[in-house]
Amino acid sequence: EVQLQASGGGLVQAGGSLRLSCTISGFTFDDFGIGWVRQAPGKEREGLSCTSKNAGIVHYAESVKGRFTISTDNAKNTAYLQMDSLKPEDTGVYYCARIPAKYLELITANQALNGLSLYDAWGQGTLVTVSS
């Protein structure tokens, strides 16, 4: 069964750091890329970052560029989102999701981050709260 499990959320002060993890099963990073998507309170889901390590592709939304870093570890079947310089507006539920790697090879960064229908499996999400 295809599964993604997000973890690592919690409460952190503004300016602090947090690392989220996404453990996968039922597929590999050879065939699929991973995206991180945030849903802030009362807001629509927003694609923050996605990557296909095999294809050498990494995309970031402007709101997190320079602060967040996405990565994957094939040996551990885990993807990560390292979040630094956190702001209160980063508060929300963070989801990891998979996208066929071949899609990321063909589409623009905007399409990859906003075309959420392309992601065909989702984790349950983990809550991040950034206080001031």
Side-chain angles (χ1 to χ4, degrees):
E1 181 183 1
V2 172
Q3 289 186 299
L4 300 90
Q5 183 175 331
S7 62
L11 178 64
V12 63
Q13 292 188 65
S17 297
L18 206 59
R19 188 180 72 166
L20 307 182
S21 298
C22 176
T23 300
I24 68 169
S25 62
F27 66 99
T28 74
F29 295 127
D30 291 335
D31 300 315
F32 292 89
I34 291 292
W36 285 95
V37 179
R38 178 175 67 206
Q39 187 163 27
K43 303 292 185 180
E44 296 293 317
R45 291 190 181 189
E46 174 189 14
L48 303 177
S49 183
C50 59
T51 186
S52 171
K53 187 175 182 179
N54 192 288
I57 294 172
V58 182
H59 298 311
Y60 294 99
E62 289 297 325
S63 61
V64 305
K65 193 173 297 182
R67 299 189 298 121
F68 291 10
T69 305
I70 191 171
S71 63
T72 57
D73 186 329
N74 284 19
K76 296 181 179 179
N77 290 319
T78 302
Y80 303 95
L81 186 67
Q82 177 67 43
M83 305 186 294
D84 299 318
S85 301
L86 283 162
K87 306 174 181 179
E89 52 261 46
D90 292 319
T91 293
V93 178
Y94 285 69
Y95 300 88
C96 58
R98 77 169 193 176
I99 181 170
K102 59 186 177 183
Y103 289 1
L104 287 183
E105 295 172 356
L106 297 172
I107 62 179
T108 66
N110 181 263
Q111 290 170 326
L113 294 172
N114 296 118
L116 300 184
S117 65
L118 299 176
Y119 293 83
D120 63 1
W122 294 73
Q124 84 287 0
T126 185
L127 177 63
V128 173
T129 302
V130 183
S131 66
S132 59

